[in-house]
Each structure stands twice: as C-alpha cells, then as structure tokens.
Amino acid sequence: KAGVTQTPRYLIKTRGQQVTLSCSPISGHRSVSWYQQTPGQGLQFLFEYFSETQRNKGNFPGRFSGRQFSNSRSEMNVSTLELGDSALYLCASSLGWSSSGNTIYFGEGSWLTVV
Amino acid sequence: AQKVTQAQTEISVVEKEDVTLDCVYETRDTTYYLFWYKQPPSGELVFLIRRNSFDEQNEISGRYSWNFQKSTSSFNFTITASQVVDSAVYFCALSGEEGNQFYFGTGTSLTVIP
C-alpha cells in the first residue's frame, strides 16, 4: 500500500513568488492535514481538509491556503513568499475526521527554500 | 491549553545502552490521544504508537516500551539496548477533541554511538 506522496520534494523560490505543493493521501484516506516544520517553531499545524472542506485551521496568515479535491488529493499554496516561509512542509493523511483520535500518517515532506 | 513538552533537546548514548525520552503534556480535553513519531534525516515522520486517555496500560513492542501516567501527565518512551538505527529525532504529540489537529513537542534528537 503506497504511503503519503508529496511533490515536489525540494524547491527553491524567490521572495514574492508563490508556490503550490501537492499531496496524495494513502489510498482510502479522506482526511489530509498540513504541517510546517522549522528549526525555530517546530511542527505547527496549518490546516486540515476532509470531504473537500477545510475543517480546522492553524494560526497562519491568509497567504497560506489549501484545497482538497474529490479524490482526496490536496494542495497547499503560499503566496507572496517571505524568507521565513522556508521550511519543511509535511502532509499527513488519516481515514476520517472526528474527535476519535485518528492516527495521521506523514509523507516525506516538501523542502521549500525562499531566497 | 494544549501543550507538549519534551525537555530533552539532544541525547547521546552508546550502542546497547537503554534510553528514555520524556514527554509531558497539558490538555483541557477529557478525551485525548498521545502519540510518538520518529523522524529520520529523510524528513518523514514515522508513526510509532498511539494511546488514548482511558488506557494507562504500558506497552512494549520489541525494544520499545511506553509508560503512560495520567497522574503526572507524562508519556515516556524507552528504547532498550539501543542501536545505531535508532538515531533520529523523536516527537511526542497530542490530539484532543479538535479533529486531527496535533500538537507536537519540540522533539528529542537521539544519537546512538557505535
């Protein structure tokens, strides 16, 4: 069974540009969440999607957005990139969305460098 | 507030030593879940274990064991007879009643020296 797949794995962007990252969840998983990992702030929750709807959002500016498609694949977009957006962006998937303690499974992440 | 604290930033042990990684949590939820993940240099967080707030039984899986104590809000992870392949960053995480929003500790970087 394939795991969570994220593309691209590595990318370099210039300040002011925008970037789109893609995530394909484990087959059968319908919930996708995104996390940002930086040395200074650690792992921080960005948002979660289930059934093409954003269910939860972390404390990030509106430049960070996402969406989910009918096949559960998800994309996240960061507009007007800043140097501080340089990070590892991790996507995670789980079977469902509820308060029942789903385990989330992570992809290998997309390493974004903003120069 | 939801918070996970991993006070140990870095630990180094010699191969075959036992090592315990500490995790202390705070939560306002009655029902919550605790997790441990391992992050090798490749970046992917690998799921190790999940525990719910109603199950305080300790768990052992091979060389790994976990000690959950609600009285001290701790969920510690012990590796017995450590191996070089155990070298990684280990994260403790908490999820509550907010869907799949996880709160992660800052991680403990474990180096096992051959």
Side-chain angles (χ1 to χ4, degrees), chain A residues 8-9 11 16-17 21-22 26 33-35 38 43-44 53 58 63 65-66 82 87 93 100 110 114:
Chain A
R9 287 277 285 135
L11 66 167
Q17 287 186 315
L21 308 177
S22 180
I26 293 171
S33 50
W34 289 88
Y35 288 80
T38 60
L43 277 154
Q44 294 185 287
T53 302
R63 301 185 297 107
S65 63
E82 301 176 358
S93 76
S100 62
S110 294
V114 182

Side-chain angles (χ1 to χ4, degrees), chain B residues 4 8 13 18 21 27-28 36-38 40 49-50 54-55 57 78 101 107 112:
Chain B
V4 175
Q8 305 152 308
V13 298
D18 299 346
L21 310 182
T27 180
R28 59 178 176 265
W36 276 94
Y37 286 84
K38 173 182 179 180
I49 190 170
R50 167 184 177 272
F54 299 108
D55 183 2
Q57 267 194 325
T78 297
Q101 180 167 353
V112 181

Side-chain angles (χ1 to χ4, degrees), chain B residues 4-101:
Chain B
V4 175
T5 301
Q6 294 180 256
Q8 305 152 308
T9 306
E10 295 180 1
I11 300 177
S12 290
V13 298
V14 176
E15 200 170 22
K16 296 184 183 174
E17 285 185 345
D18 299 346
V19 59
T20 295
L21 310 182
D22 298 333
C23 173
V24 174
Y25 63 91
E26 296 174 34
T27 180
R28 59 178 176 265
D29 296 333
T30 304
T31 301
Y32 55 90
Y33 301 83
L34 297 165
F35 301 79
W36 276 94
Y37 286 84
K38 173 182 179 180
Q39 186 177 41
S42 64
E44 177 182 359
L45 272 81
V46 177
F47 165 71
L48 295 177
I49 190 170
R50 167 184 177 272
R51 252 312 178 241
N52 72 52
S53 52
F54 299 108
D55 183 2
E56 285 192 73
Q57 267 194 325
N58 291 334
E59 180 152 339
I60 298 174
S61 176
R63 298 184 295 107
Y64 295 171
S65 62
W66 291 270
N67 184 316
F68 175 29
Q69 292 194 326
K70 283 180 79 169
S71 60
T72 56
S73 297
S74 65
F75 185 43
N76 297 337
F77 174 28
T78 297
I79 302 174
T80 303
S82 59
Q83 299 176 1
V84 172
V85 293
D86 296 327
S87 297
V89 181
Y90 291 85
F91 289 92
C92 180
L94 165 74
S95 76
E97 297 165 359
E98 297 172 283
N100 294 330
Q101 180 167 353

Side-chain angles (χ1 to χ4, degrees), chain A residues 87-99:
Chain A
L88 175 64
Y89 290 88
L90 289 158
C91 172
S93 76
S94 67
L95 275 172
W97 180 86
S98 70
S99 60

Side-chain angles (χ1 to χ4, degrees), chain A residues 10 14 18 26 28 43-45 48-49 60 77-78 91 98:
Chain A
Y10 304 91
T14 304
Q18 74 162 15
I26 293 171
L43 277 154
Q44 294 185 287
F45 172 77
E48 179 188 9
Y49 287 86
F60 278 82
N77 183 275
V78 187
C91 172
S98 70

Side-chain angles (χ1 to χ4, degrees), chain A residues 28-96:
Chain A
H29 284 195
R30 298 175 60 197
S31 170
V32 172
S33 50
W34 289 88
Y35 288 80
Q36 182 197 63
Q37 185 177 21
T38 60
Q41 300 298 317
L43 277 154
Q44 294 185 287
F45 172 77
L46 280 156
F47 29 64
E48 179 188 9
Y49 287 86
F50 178 77
S51 291
E52 302 176 65
T53 302
Q54 188 179 90
R55 301 290 176 159
N56 219 341
K57 190 177 191 309
N59 189 25
F60 278 82
R63 301 185 297 107
F64 292 80
S65 63
R67 59 177 175 168
Q68 186 181 34
F69 303 95
S70 58
N71 61 359
S72 296
R73 193 176 68 84
S74 176
E75 289 181 346
M76 69 162 281
N77 183 275
V78 187
S79 63
T80 318
L81 284 165
E82 301 176 358
L83 294 179
D85 297 332
S86 295
L88 175 64
Y89 290 88
L90 289 158
C91 172
S93 76
S94 67
L95 275 172

